[in-house]
């Protein structure tokens, strides 16, 4: 158990819908990262927050957004969902801003029908 | 952008044997990390090696890093059936705050 929690574990929804994925980092960690894992793209970095502020952006679509709240939990919002958005979405946390081990949550499996 | 690339992609070994996986990357890195993933579950952090380190050990794991060749290897000694998983290398560059993952190595340890 990494100490990172993600909810829900599974999510099934229809195209065009909007969903919110939630992540709680390990106690004391200030950074939260979001990654997407799909069969064709592999593991891709989406976005990082550090202590409430966006710190780095990766291959995140404009239809996706995230935020980190004062209690350091984070949410990833996915809207106008397409079939191709079906994937495993992982949250990870680390103590600092850079150059630290990242500890991953169990993931949310999103299926878009 | 840099990205780890593991080689070989799939490995099947008998319990007790050693398993070696390689990873190459393209640009300068601050550190390289190895992760294990069991069957679509979360990634488990195994080891982090920094660019100024050449070798690191953790239990039955040995990681080497050759920055001149931009490559790393992960050795699992005396493998067990529980080591069956996918193994990913991931690189972190300077100041870019993200991990770039390779495609992963699938390792099957036969009891």
């Amino acid at each position: 158990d990494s100490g990172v929690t993600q909810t829900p574990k599974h999510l099934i929804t229809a195209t065009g819908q909007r969903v919110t994925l939630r992540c709680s980092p390990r106690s004391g960690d200030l950074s939260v990262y979001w990654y997407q894992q799909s069969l064709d793209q592999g593991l891709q970095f989406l976005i990082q927050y550090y202590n409430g502020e966006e710190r780095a952006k990766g291959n995140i679509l404009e239809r996706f957004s995230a935020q980190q709240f004062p209690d350091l939990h984070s949410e990833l919002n996915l809207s106008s969902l397409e079939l191709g958005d079906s994937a495993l979405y992982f949250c990870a946390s680390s103590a600092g801003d850079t150059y630290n081990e990242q500890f991953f949550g169990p993931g949310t499996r999103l299926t878009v029908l | 952008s840099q990205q780890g690339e593991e080689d070989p992609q799939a490995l099947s070994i008998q319990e007790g044997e050693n398993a070696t996986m390689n990873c190459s990357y393209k640009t300068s890195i601050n550190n390289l990390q190895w992760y294990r993933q069991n069957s679509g579950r979360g990634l488990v952090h195994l080891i982090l090696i920094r660019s100024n380190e050449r070798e690191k050990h953790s239990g039955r794991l040995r990681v080497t890093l050759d920055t001149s060749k931009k490559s790393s290897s992960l050795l699992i000694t005396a493998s067990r059936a529980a080591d069956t998983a996918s193994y990913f290398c991931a690189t972190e560059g300077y100041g870019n705050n993200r991990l770039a993952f390779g495609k992963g190595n699938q390792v099957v340890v036969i009891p």
Side-chain angles (χ1 to χ4, degrees):
Chain A
D1 184 1
S2 66
V4 178
T5 60
Q6 288 187 249
T7 56
K9 285 186 180 177
H10 302 277
L11 202 46
I12 301 175
T13 188
T15 54
Q17 295 298 305
R18 172 190 169 96
V19 297
T20 298
L21 312 183
R22 195 179 191 279
C23 167
S24 292
R26 292 188 319 159
S27 177
D29 283 359
L30 298 178
S31 273
V32 168
Y33 308 78
W34 287 97
Y35 291 86
Q36 178 195 60
Q37 185 178 34
S38 62
L39 281 174
D40 53 345
Q41 297 290 328
L43 267 158
Q44 299 269 323
F45 168 78
L46 295 178
I47 198 164
Q48 179 208 4
Y49 280 83
Y50 176 74
N51 204 20
E53 293 188 2
E54 182 184 303
R55 190 55 63 103
K57 224 167 184 176
N59 301 323
I60 188 166
L61 300 171
E62 285 190 11
R63 301 183 283 109
F64 296 0
S65 65
Q67 54 184 326
Q68 187 179 28
F69 295 87
D71 67 352
L72 300 177
H73 90 271
S74 177
E75 292 180 357
L76 178 67
N77 300 296
L78 316 176
S79 61
S80 302
L81 286 167
E82 302 175 359
L83 296 177
D85 297 328
S86 295
L88 259 173
Y89 290 84
F90 288 108
C91 167
S93 74
S94 69
D97 185 14
T98 54
Y99 314 146
N100 299 130
E101 294 92 334
Q102 294 184 23
F103 296 90
F104 281 71
T108 293
R109 184 172 292 279
L110 173 67
T111 303
V112 183
L113 301 175
Chain B
S1 62
Q2 62 201 349
Q3 188 165 17
E5 294 181 1
E6 294 88 354
D7 172 53
Q9 299 289 320
L11 186 62
S12 184
I13 57 174
Q14 294 289 329
E15 203 166 29
E17 293 181 340
N18 296 343
T20 300
M21 287 153 273
N22 297 308
C23 167
S24 61
Y25 55 92
K26 293 176 181 157
T27 60
S28 296
I29 61 169
N30 173 274
N31 66 77
L32 185 145
Q33 304 183 35
W34 284 92
Y35 288 83
R36 184 184 75 228
Q37 184 178 34
N38 290 84
S39 194
R41 294 185 186 173
L43 288 93
V44 174
H45 185 270
L46 296 177
I47 202 162
L48 180 153
I49 186 165
R50 299 197 187 276
S51 60
N52 60 353
E53 298 174 309
R54 290 297 165 258
E55 189 170 312
K56 213 162 180 181
H57 297 256
S58 176
R60 294 183 295 112
L61 305 179
R62 182 174 81 104
V63 168
T64 62
L65 180 64
D66 187 335
T67 53
S68 67
K69 294 181 180 176
K70 291 187 169 58
S71 67
S72 173
S73 68
L74 170 66
L75 168 68
I76 305 173
T77 59
S79 63
R80 305 167 182 168
D83 295 328
T84 294
S86 292
Y87 292 83
F88 294 86
C89 74
T91 56
E92 184 173 6
Y94 289 94
N96 63 17
N97 301 17
R98 67 192 69 184
L99 290 176
F101 281 86
K103 291 183 172 61
N105 262 291
Q106 190 168 2
V107 175
V108 175
V109 181
I110 303 165

